[in-house]
Structure formats: C-alpha cells, structure tokens
Amino acid sequence: MNSVLTTDQLPVVVIGAGPIGLAAAAHLIERGIEPLVLEAGPAAGSAVREWSHVRLFSTWGEVIDPAAEKLLAPTGWTRPDSATYPTGGDWAEQYLQPLADVLGDKVRYGATVTGIARAGRDRIVDSGREEQPFIVHIQLADGHEERIAARAVIDASGTWSTPSPMGADGLPALGEKTVAERISYRVPDLGAPAVRARYAGKRTAVVGSGASAFTALAYLADLAKEEDGTHSLWILRRDTSANTYGGGEADQLPARGALGLRAKSAVENGYASAATGFRIEAVERDADSRLVLVAEDGRRLDPVDEVIVLTGFRPDLSFLSEVRLGLDERLQAPTSLAPLIDPNVHSCGTVYPHGVNELSHPEQGVYLVGMKSYGRAPTFLAMTGYEQVRSVTAAIAGDQEAAERVELTLPETGVCGGAGLFDEPENAEQSAGGCCATPTTLQIGIGAPASSSGGC
C-alpha cells in the first residue's frame, strides 16, 4: 500500500449510524476531516428504531448534538421543541435520518464490520505498526466483502445486538436457550397487536432492575388494567432498598424518575409482585409447558407464561480482536473510564466528564465511544456520547488542547452511594459523598481527579 495513504488523506471510519456515530461524523466534518460511517442496518438509527415505541427520559434539547445541528440548519430542518420528550421513533425519523441524509454518501448502509487491523500487521507485530493505516473489513448485505483503509476508527456500534442473559452468573441460565421462543430481551411494544396478544391475560416475569425493567413493568401494568389475568412478576437479584425504584422526585431527569415511580405503583397496586434476592440458575418447563424459574439457592417460583429479560447489554468485541485495546477486566470498558462508571462502587447516574484521555487505548487511533465505551455499565446518556466524540475528533485533528477542555454537566439520578451490584451493607462514607450535590461544569484532561467523591 502506498505510504501516502497512511496519513491525512484517508477517512476516519465511524462504525454505526446511531446518534453517537452520526454526531462523530458531524464533528469530523466540522474539523475538516472526511468521515465514512458504516451502518449494518438499512437506515440511520437502525437499533433505535427497534425501540421506537419507548419514550426517552431525556428531552429533545438533550439528545441533539450541536455540530449535527449546524449541518442540519441550512437544510430547512425544523428543530423539535427542546422541552418535549421524543420516542425512539421520533428520534430516528426527525433527527437521525435527516442528519444521515445530509451526510449523503458519507454513510454506507448494509455494511457490517467484521474485523479491524493495522495494514499487514496482526496484533502481535510491533515493527512499523503505528505508521500503518487501519484496514476495516466489511461484509455487505449481498455477502460481498471489502477492505477499507482508514486513518482512525471510531467504534460507535453500541451494545444493542448483545443483550445480557438471565443467568445471574452472566451466562445463559440452564434451559434459557431451549425455551428461547418464550423469552424476549426487549421492552415490549404493546401497541403492536401480536405483541399485545403475547402478554395479555398472561403471567410474565420481568428480570432486571433498571429503566428498561421499569418501563416494561409500567407497560404491563397498563395492559393489566384492560386485560384480566395479566400480571407481572418482577425478578430482582438484590433485595429491595430505598434505591430500588431509582431517584424518583430527586432525579434531575424528571421522566427518568417517573419511570421508577410507575414501577413502584405497579407493585403497590397489585399489577406486579416482586421476587427479591432471586438469582436465576435455571428455567424449566412444567407439565403444562409453562416456565418455572429456579434460583441458585433452590427457590422455585410459580409458573409464568413469558419472560422478559432486561439485564443490560455487553459490547461485541469480536471484530476488534486484532487491535490492541486496554479494557477493564470487569466492565470491558476502557481502563481509565471504568473506575468512573463501575456499578460495584456506586449507583449514581452522574459520571465524571470524560474525553479522549479516558477513551484512548494502547492502539493509537482506535476509540470506543457511546454505549460501547461503557462496556457492561449502565446509565449512559446521549449527551455523554456527544461530548466524547467532540473530544475524540479534536484529538484526531491534532487539537489536544481542545480535546482536554471538554466540559459537560450531567443530571443526577437522585440515587447515590449504596452497595453497588450486590447485597452488602451500605457504605456510609460512600453515601455521604458529594454525588448528589448540585451538578457543576467540570473540565476534562490534565489535572482531572481519578474519581469523584463517593465513587460517583
């Protein structure tokens, strides 16, 4: 390969035409750098469209990237009301697709990334490594394969395609694959007749403790008000505490707090019941072909008809096997970012603002951003991703000062301290930390503390 093509003439490949990937492309264009966005799906925001029925708990004002808006403004695009809350479908149709349309042929659809490497170098080889461009292997919808040279790679492919299983040990529960037709890993769209029929009049187990589980419980409670016999069994791996239902009225994203309150109402009004401290080991069929969940301690729950597993997501790292990543052994997030988002330490939604310094890897020029940068950690916000790509693209452009000046104010969940992921006594020192104080604008980069008070 001609050495001239190892430098600035090559595009930056962005993986994923979701909100963070498209924002990355907008920031690259603002910096005068050519992006090439590779999207496996047939349209912008393909993953977002799969939860088009779910309303975001962030307002329009919090999910529109500033650089993207600059690209859209000359097209006559009408900015939605900043104070209103879009659904996933709204976000895709009114913002993501118009943005991708502006980018034109800089976005390729039906292009699945299957591998990334340095040209002529596997992950073992040191010699001349950093002088070589990246080679991105893709497979197109018709099965055809291509190789694309890139000066840098921004992986914004998210985690939607790899939901976590119901097993408490992170592996599928015994029998989980066998009864796959009775298990869903998505919040149900009860507006779709076939989906509504699947859960109406049925007993459904909802496994999980985050916003997605709250949403599913709220939807099923609404269904129970209309369809007799509809009931939810909420499976929680931890025992209940003051934090079980999220931040409630203390959450600075009111819609997020309201989700937890709706889940609480579903339980209190009898539309759902809760099984706490229940860590699933197996799922079995009874004589009537209903499903029986079995815990690690041997407890067995009354049979259910369906199971909705909402236990989080994990990154697909398979196509990154030939580049040198520095990932935390627990979260599979960049090693410098992991301490800021580790749910073993805290349960706060606020993460200390971060940019290229926290997102860099031993392999220079590769960045995991957006949901994928969080690995297995929850509570990611779009505005976090927008600041990530602002910082990363500044660094790619050689403007390190701008990359380290990234600022961000994040809203609090109203849930702080606590025992993290497992049932342990609450750490008073953690709970007394400054996590839930009024948020301030913080500077990223040199001099930034390794973690904030209380690990939040």
Side-chain angles (χ1 to χ4, degrees):
M1 179 172 291
N2 191 322
S3 61
V4 174
L5 299 180
T6 65
T7 57
D8 298 351
Q9 293 170 305
L10 295 174
V12 172
V13 163
V14 179
I15 306 173
I20 310 307
L22 293 174
H27 282 275
L28 288 167
I29 289 172
E30 192 171 59
R31 290 275 178 180
I33 299 171
E34 181 76 7
L36 177 60
V37 182
L38 302 175
E39 167 58 46
S46 291
V48 174
R49 293 172 191 272
E50 292 193 28
W51 48 270
S52 60
H53 57 292
V54 178
R55 192 166 297 281
L56 281 72
F57 48 64
S58 297
T59 64
W60 270 115
E62 295 161 333
V63 297
I64 295 174
D65 176 76
E69 187 170 5
K70 289 179 184 177
L71 283 182
L72 286 165
T75 70
W77 175 74
T78 301
R79 192 183 204 275
D81 183 350
S82 294
T84 60
Y85 295 88
T87 63
D90 296 335
W91 203 15
E93 291 296 336
Q94 299 178 42
Y95 169 65
L96 299 178
Q97 193 61 57
L99 177 55
D101 292 344
V102 171
L103 292 168
D105 60 6
K106 294 178 175 60
V107 180
R108 291 186 65 181
Y109 300 109
T112 300
V113 175
T114 58
I116 301 169
R118 291 282 188 178
R121 308 289 193 277
D122 64 21
R123 68 182 296 157
I124 300 174
V125 178
D126 290 334
S127 178
R129 186 176 192 85
E130 292 187 3
E131 288 73 40
Q132 297 301 311
F134 292 98
I135 301 298
V136 181
H137 291 234
I138 65 172
Q139 184 172 48
L140 304 180
D142 63 2
H144 181 67
E145 294 180 309
E146 291 184 16
R147 288 162 37 115
I148 298 169
R151 64 184 283 188
V153 177
I154 299 175
D155 183 356
S157 59
T159 57
W160 180 253
S161 64
T162 47
S164 295
M166 74 165 78
D169 56 7
L171 299 173
L174 297 176
E176 183 171 349
K177 295 179 180 179
T178 304
V179 299
E181 78 281 359
R182 306 281 286 279
I183 300 174
S184 171
Y185 300 86
R186 305 287 187 248
V187 174
D189 180 4
L190 298 180
V195 178
R196 182 183 178 91
R198 178 174 180 175
Y199 298 103
K202 305 290 181 60
R203 179 174 163 87
T204 300
V206 177
V207 186
S209 60
S212 294
F214 294 163
T215 303
L217 290 166
Y219 285 1
L220 290 169
D222 290 342
L223 182 62
K225 296 171 186 177
E226 301 172 5
E227 299 283 353
D228 292 341
T230 304
H231 188 80
S232 300
L233 176 61
W234 188 16
I235 311 296
L236 290 156
R237 293 172 180 171
R238 295 182 61 187
D239 288 330
T240 56
S241 69
N243 295 342
T244 297
Y245 298 101
E249 295 178 0
D251 196 322
Q252 292 180 12
L253 288 177
R256 181 171 58 188
L259 277 177
L261 296 177
R262 287 184 68 189
K264 183 177 182 181
S265 174
V267 173
E268 292 178 343
N269 291 324
Y271 299 117
S273 52
T276 61
F278 196 94
R279 299 184 176 92
I280 299 172
E281 179 179 79
V283 55
E284 302 173 354
R285 291 185 189 268
D286 68 4
D288 297 320
S289 198
R290 300 181 80 197
L291 305 182
V292 177
L293 301 181
V294 183
E296 292 177 342
D297 60 9
R299 281 185 292 160
R300 303 169 69 87
L301 298 177
D302 290 339
V304 297
D305 301 291
E306 298 283 343
V307 181
I308 299 173
V309 179
L310 300 168
T311 52
F313 297 86
R314 54 188 61 180
D316 176 8
L317 302 171
S318 60
F319 59 84
L320 297 166
S321 62
E322 293 306 316
V323 292
R324 300 172 177 180
L325 301 181
L327 298 176
D328 179 75
E329 67 276 8
R330 294 164 297 176
L331 298 185
Q332 296 177 299
T335 51
S336 295
L337 175 60
L340 310 183
I341 60 177
D342 189 349
N344 286 290
V345 178
H346 63 82
S347 55
C348 295
T350 295
V351 177
Y352 193 91
H354 56 279
V356 69
N357 289 343
E358 291 80 7
L359 297 171
S360 294
H361 294 276
E363 191 82 73
Q364 295 183 22
V366 173
Y367 304 97
L368 276 57
V369 299
M371 276 291 300
K372 193 160 187 177
S373 72
Y374 270 41
R376 298 193 184 195
T379 67
F380 178 80
L381 295 174
M383 62 184 83
T384 300
Y386 295 157
E387 289 294 350
Q388 287 180 341
V389 296
R390 177 180 180 269
S391 175
V392 164
T393 54
I396 292 172
D399 190 350
Q400 194 66 19
E401 182 182 1
E404 294 181 351
R405 271 204 323 268
V406 178
E407 296 181 353
L408 175 63
T409 299
L410 286 173
E412 304 281 1
T413 63
V415 181
C416 295
L421 291 177
F422 220 72
D423 289 321
E424 297 173 355
E426 291 200 0
N427 185 319
E429 184 176 336
Q430 284 183 351
S431 298
C435 163
C436 283
T438 301
T440 56
T441 301
L442 301 174
Q443 181 169 307
I444 300 175
I446 299 171
S451 63
S452 60
S453 180
C456 297

